[in-house]
Amino acid sequence: MAIDTPSPAVRTLAAPGLVEIHEAEIRFAGPRGGVLALDRTSLRLEPGSFTALIGPSGCGKSTLMNALAGFVPLGHGFVRIDGRPVEGPGPDVGVVFQQYALFPWFTARGNIEFALANKGLSRAERRERALQALEEVGLAGQGDKFPGQLSGGMKQRVAIARTLVREPSVLLMDEPFGALDAQTRLSMHALLLRLLARHRATVLFVTHDVDEALLLADTVHVMSHAPGRILASYAIDTPRPRSVARFDAALGDLRTAIVGLLHPES
């Protein structure tokens, strides 16, 4: 079923960051005709929404995200952002990875300045924007440190600042807090929500953690074992900030339902 494309006039007036994924299928080459990694998946992410994607390892979560980032081509279907087909990486999509992906030979400020290299800014403007971004993520005064001198949480703050400084309309986050300890993850959750209140990007957040998805997202999509497809979708209308310790009955029921889908044998 085709999805109508908004007219240019409507798209101009609408908030940026509308994501449409329709019947997306991805098959990787293999010795026996290929491996189906993602099976005819459709999603619509409204501008400014926060969507969590959760599922077992190898189910195609990251594959779907890579398709939306323009890193992996589809074998069938389409991916569009604000009505435009995604045909490769572009400035309207920012990606934050679990392992930070910082350049070790650049300082924290230098990593952020590098992201602004093609923005047509002067060196002084890039420096000022980078310092503002570091302050925004709570790292004022840390700009001259190299990644090797930073903790895991600080590195991820730099990675987030580097991504948001380009002002993408869509933010893809592939298990960004998976390598952090529990306390640091909670502080990063709070930071991320504060940042998104300012930047208003559309977020697709991949996680293995059910509680993390319920704490952060507006919508949670649960994926099946490979080949990946959407098993169920849950809207969350509990106001933020949320706390695992204060899960209300509705969130508790959602948690039970999602865990049941992920671990049907338990």
Side-chain angles (χ1 to χ4, degrees):
M1 180 177 66
I3 297 177
D4 293 335
T5 302
S7 68
V10 173
R11 193 181 306 131
T12 300
L13 295 174
L18 173 64
V19 175
E20 298 165 292
I21 303 169
H22 181 68
E23 292 289 302
E25 180 181 291
I26 298 174
R27 186 181 297 271
F28 294 120
R32 297 184 179 179
V35 176
L36 183 62
L38 186 67
D39 186 14
R40 300 294 173 105
T41 296
S42 297
L43 292 174
R44 179 184 173 95
L45 312 183
E46 298 296 335
S49 62
F50 193 126
T51 300
L53 201 59
I54 192 165
S57 297
C59 72
K61 302 185 300 295
S62 295
T63 299
L64 177 59
M65 181 169 286
N66 286 334
L68 181 52
F71 300 151
V72 176
L74 299 180
H76 182 274
F78 64 77
V79 177
R80 294 192 301 220
I81 297 176
D82 295 325
R84 296 183 298 274
V86 173
E87 298 174 338
D92 51 347
V93 178
V95 185
V96 177
F97 302 97
Q98 180 177 349
Q99 296 301 329
Y100 322 124
L102 300 177
F103 296 117
W105 53 86
F106 286 156
T107 62
R109 190 188 75 240
N111 269 277
I112 299 172
E113 289 183 13
F114 182 83
L116 296 168
N118 296 323
K119 284 284 194 178
L121 302 173
S122 69
R123 179 176 296 180
E125 289 171 325
R126 292 197 303 272
R127 177 187 173 89
E128 180 63 24
R129 291 273 297 273
L131 290 174
Q132 290 174 351
L134 285 168
E135 183 175 2
E136 191 175 40
V137 297
L139 291 180
Q142 305 296 319
D144 291 332
K145 290 186 178 180
F146 289 89
Q149 299 172 298
L150 302 174
S151 68
M154 294 170 76
K155 290 177 187 176
Q156 198 58 289
R157 287 171 185 256
V158 175
I160 292 171
R162 179 186 59 184
T163 301
L164 289 179
V165 78
R166 293 181 58 85
E167 300 178 347
S169 60
V170 177
L171 178 62
L172 308 179
M173 308 190 79
D174 194 357
E175 299 191 59
F177 310 137
L180 305 178
D181 63 80
Q183 194 61 42
T184 303
R185 286 178 71 151
L186 290 176
S187 66
M188 294 300 291
H189 292 166
L191 171 67
L192 178 61
L193 292 176
R194 288 197 303 270
L195 292 172
L196 292 175
R198 301 173 197 164
H199 290 271
R200 302 304 303 165
T202 303
V203 179
L204 183 62
F205 188 99
V206 166
T207 180
H208 280 97
D209 189 321
V210 176
D211 290 344
E212 183 171 63
L214 292 174
L215 288 172
L216 296 176
D218 303 311
T219 305
V220 178
H221 297 292
V222 183
M223 293 188 71
S224 67
H225 287 276
R229 59 185 178 83
I230 302 297
L231 285 178
S233 301
Y234 301 94
I236 303 174
D237 55 12
T238 301
R240 300 184 184 92
R242 305 171 191 149
S243 166
V244 173
R246 293 187 287 109
F247 269 2
D248 62 17
L251 282 179
D253 290 344
L254 280 180
R255 188 183 192 283
T256 299
I258 292 171
V259 170
L261 285 174
L262 295 172
H263 306 286
E265 69 286 351
S266 60

